[in-house]
Amino acid sequence: MADYRMVEHIPDLIQAEEYDRHPEGRLVRVSIRVDGEGVQVLGDAFRPELLEKLLETLGPDAIEQMLCG
């Protein structure tokens, strides 16, 4: 299991105006970037448990997350 770390900021991939278009709450958005330091997978979801399950299957050492609000 990955080590979860709280961070102050992660870029939003879902904007507030999208909430009304997805009343069932199943929207998950993922961004994958590759650079000189490795692979970065960012995710945003209405239901965090869906995103956490997806990220954990990738086998990372750590998953960074932030409190929303």
Side-chain angles (χ1 to χ4, degrees):
M1 182 163 174
D3 178 36
Y4 280 80
R5 299 178 189 156
M6 298 303 292
V7 295
E8 290 186 28
H9 179 74
I10 295 175
D12 287 325
L13 301 179
I14 298 174
Q15 303 306 313
E17 56 271 10
E18 296 180 85
Y19 283 60
D20 289 340
R21 292 187 300 228
H22 300 277
E24 69 284 350
R26 289 185 272 176
L27 181 62
V28 175
R29 193 161 286 148
V30 177
S31 170
I32 301 171
R33 298 178 189 184
V34 178
D35 62 22
E37 295 183 29
V39 177
Q40 179 186 57
V41 179
L42 296 176
D44 199 350
F46 290 155
R47 298 181 182 174
E49 64 276 5
L50 296 175
L51 181 57
E52 290 169 3
K53 185 175 181 179
L54 172 68
L55 293 174
E56 285 181 4
T57 63
L58 298 174
D61 292 331
I63 296 175
E64 294 180 342
Q65 64 182 169
M66 63 176 266
L67 297 174
C68 55

